[in-house]
Amino acid sequence: MTISNQSALWDRISNKLQEEVPASRFDAWISPVFASETENTLTLTVASRFFLDGLKNSYGARIAALVNEFASADITICYAVDQTLTGQSDRKDDIPAEPKASLVDGFIDPRFTFENFVVGSGNEFCHAASLAVAEKPGEIYNPLYLYGGVGLGKTHLINAVANSLISRNHYRIAYRTGERFTNELIQAIRNGSTDQFRNQYRQVDVLIIDDIQFIAGKDRTQEEFFHTFNALYEVKKQIILTSDRSPRDLVNLMERLRSRFNWGLVADIQPPDLETRLAILSSKAELAGVQLDREVANLLASRITNNVRELEGALTRLTAHSTLTGRTIDIAFARHVLRDLLHEEVRAISVEDIQKQVAAYYNINVREMASAKRSRTVAFPRHVAMYASKELTTLSLPEIGSRFGGKDHTTILYAVRKIAKMREDDEDFDEEMNRILAQLKR
């Protein structure tokens, strides 16, 4: 049963939002809100916690601004959850369906838009490329391949492209992770439904695969994706891929796939600089309705340097603690609440940590770091790990050698000099090493 709103203020706000927000978004996120009003409070009630988070993240700041604009006195906004509203439960699948939602296969997060993506020197090229693809899918930069470390905004950008296309209501979009694509293929093989699997993907207008590196080393999945790629590319359908590394650095990837990944635009997203991190904090704090002290913002932005997701998580944690305890978010409070996270930023790095992460990056077994194997697929990652050990630890060359299966110090020195020379001569490899070192410092 639908309940009528009991707030003249909310009527004015929703009318204004209806002018500003695409119809599909308004119907999905604004229309289902139940509003009630007292003298000093506007209470907005929705059907689930997930819906509440989406509403506040996407429209909370604008709603607050409109309250200030339309209210004749100071009004406090309160949010509430009532699962009896329109019979909805606290599940992602139960959010209001958008017009033509059947054309979207996979969950597109409505919170990730171009409007709330903070652009900085490290991501401006990827942002511009994603905007261009959203404007002319299939016509420019096909495929679009975004790569970079964890938590830098790749997923935000590909969701922003999808949300931009959804607002036009005439694109068939399939959104998958590399892992889900692989698992669906395995299930199709078991069920004898591979033809249905192929048709599912080859009839879309836009195919988005997040973490495409997951298919490396899986020959049947790569073979299937290769043919799907060709089928879509030939009819000018847009393909968007993300990965943690460039196509040339994907180990155990078919060369013909590696070649196709480079047909369009390959764009590298870098860790944000200090100014961008501060801007991200400011944007997220504004959305959350939090007044963030400049000293606290500087502490977070200077200590959490490589991962936007961790930066946002730190702010969420501070906000939650402040709300529950009634404490003001000052520098002492931030240091106390985030003591484990801030300590983690300056933790000691061991050779074993380096070996594990480098082995994972290059998709080899960590035990091979200390082996006598000399094949390039093993020797090169080993040299990278030796170089990183020299850069990030205080151990001597013989001490490092002992952790690589008893290698002589001259072997370590050779590896260090070789990687240093490669960084000087190859700008792309230098960027790759910067990413590896940044990940190790997290």
Side-chain angles (χ1 to χ4, degrees):
M1 180 177 66
T2 303
I3 304 173
S4 300
N5 284 312
Q6 301 171 0
S7 169
L9 174 59
W10 178 249
D11 288 342
R12 294 186 66 189
I13 292 170
S14 66
N15 287 339
K16 182 65 175 178
L17 289 171
Q18 191 166 20
E19 298 173 4
E20 302 174 351
V21 177
S24 61
R25 294 296 180 202
F26 183 86
D27 291 341
W29 294 102
I30 307 302
S31 292
V33 175
F34 169 68
S36 60
E37 184 181 347
T38 64
E39 184 177 351
N40 300 313
T41 303
L42 173 66
T43 301
L44 305 180
T45 305
V46 296
S48 72
R49 170 58 57 182
F50 175 78
F51 192 107
L52 177 62
D53 291 341
L55 176 69
K56 290 173 70 175
N57 284 325
S58 297
Y59 302 106
R62 183 56 182 152
I63 289 172
L66 290 174
V67 167
N68 289 334
E69 179 180 341
F70 293 140
S72 57
D74 288 340
I75 295 290
T76 300
I77 304 172
C78 294
Y79 291 90
V81 173
D82 181 354
Q83 295 186 6
T84 65
L85 285 179
T86 63
Q88 294 185 59
S89 65
D90 195 19
R91 292 170 45 216
K92 291 183 180 182
D93 295 338
D94 289 334
I95 63 174
E98 297 182 355
K100 299 189 180 180
S102 61
L103 298 182
V104 180
D105 185 6
F107 179 70
I108 308 298
D109 196 325
R111 296 171 297 176
F112 293 148
T113 66
F114 287 117
E115 289 73 21
N116 60 26
F117 184 82
V118 178
V119 181
S121 60
N123 61 29
E124 59 185 347
F125 182 66
C126 289
H127 175 263
S130 300
L131 269 175
V133 166
E135 287 299 317
K136 296 182 177 180
E139 298 180 32
I140 186 172
Y141 306 145
N142 196 23
L144 175 63
Y145 185 106
L146 305 179
Y147 74 97
V150 175
L152 297 183
K154 303 186 299 296
T155 300
H156 188 138
L157 283 175
I158 60 178
N159 273 271
V161 173
N163 279 313
S164 178
L165 295 175
I166 288 170
S167 68
R168 289 174 238 164
N169 290 323
H170 61 274
Y171 289 96
R172 294 167 296 181
I173 302 170
Y175 181 103
R176 292 289 186 272
T177 63
E179 181 179 14
R180 181 175 172 185
F181 182 87
T182 301
N183 290 339
E184 286 183 355
L185 174 59
I186 293 171
Q187 193 65 35
I189 294 170
R190 287 176 179 169
N191 298 338
S193 57
T194 52
D195 286 343
Q196 181 181 345
F197 172 86
R198 291 173 185 140
N199 291 334
Q200 174 185 1
Y201 287 104
R202 297 181 192 183
Q203 294 177 1
V204 302
D205 298 310
V206 182
L207 175 61
I208 304 174
I209 305 288
D210 202 3
D211 290 329
I212 191 64
Q213 75 273 2
F214 188 84
I215 73 171
K218 300 173 179 65
D219 292 345
R220 180 67 187 269
T221 305
Q222 291 186 69
E223 185 73 25
E224 198 62 53
F225 186 75
F226 171 78
H227 293 297
T228 296
F229 184 105
N230 286 345
L232 294 175
Y233 186 86
E234 287 171 3
V235 292
K236 299 186 183 302
K237 302 303 183 181
Q238 182 67 50
I239 301 163
I240 305 174
L241 309 170
T242 75
S243 176
D244 61 354
R245 67 203 77 174
S246 69
R248 73 170 193 172
D249 295 326
L250 287 174
V251 180
N252 298 324
L253 184 73
M254 291 178 176
E255 282 304 317
R256 55 184 181 172
L257 266 183
R258 194 188 315 275
S259 172
R260 279 158 176 75
F261 290 172
N262 282 294
W263 279 359
L265 178 66
V266 176
D268 181 12
I269 189 165
Q270 293 286 334
D273 56 25
L274 178 62
E275 291 76 13
T276 305
R277 296 196 297 275
L278 287 168
I280 291 169
L281 277 173
S282 174
S283 173
K284 297 298 180 182
E286 181 179 348
L287 282 174
V290 175
Q291 288 287 341
L292 195 62
D293 180 84
R294 177 178 292 274
E295 189 177 8
V296 173
N298 282 328
L299 173 69
L300 300 185
S302 62
R303 295 289 292 277
I304 305 172
T305 58
N306 299 307
N307 191 318
V308 173
R309 213 167 286 156
E310 284 190 6
L311 197 62
E312 295 176 1
L315 178 62
T316 300
R317 199 157 156 201
L318 280 179
T319 304
H321 277 264
S322 174
T323 301
L324 293 171
T325 64
R327 294 268 308 274
T328 301
I329 302 177
D330 56 22
I331 192 68
F333 181 74
R335 288 186 184 279
H336 173 72
V337 171
L338 303 176
R339 57 193 180 279
D340 58 331
L341 180 61
L342 299 178
H343 171 71
E344 193 174 90
E345 287 291 305
V346 296
R347 74 190 189 283
I349 301 172
S350 70
V351 172
E352 290 71 24
D353 291 336
I354 292 169
Q355 290 174 337
K356 287 177 184 177
Q357 293 206 40
V358 174
Y361 187 90
Y362 288 105
N363 199 26
I364 68 170
N365 193 304
V366 69
R367 290 193 298 272
E368 293 177 310
M369 286 288 178
S371 73
K373 290 184 179 179
R374 295 187 177 183
S375 62
R376 174 172 170 77
T377 56
V378 174
F380 181 72
R382 185 190 295 138
H383 287 164
V384 169
M386 290 174 175
Y387 174 87
S389 297
K390 181 67 173 65
E391 288 289 304
L392 301 177
T393 74
T394 59
L395 298 178
S396 66
L397 295 180
E399 288 173 325
I400 294 173
S402 69
R403 288 161 171 80
F404 284 85
K407 300 289 189 296
D408 186 81
H409 77 279
T410 57
T411 301
I412 308 301
L413 183 59
Y414 168 79
V416 170
R417 289 175 174 172
K418 176 183 176 180
I419 298 300
K421 183 68 165 59
M422 287 180 65
R423 295 189 71 178
E424 290 179 7
D425 297 342
D426 187 335
E427 184 177 330
D428 290 337
F429 177 68
D430 184 51
E431 289 181 1
E432 180 181 335
M433 276 305 308
N434 284 333
R435 286 194 301 276
I436 291 172
L437 294 174
Q439 288 176 7
L440 286 165
K441 291 175 184 177
R442 284 209 304 269

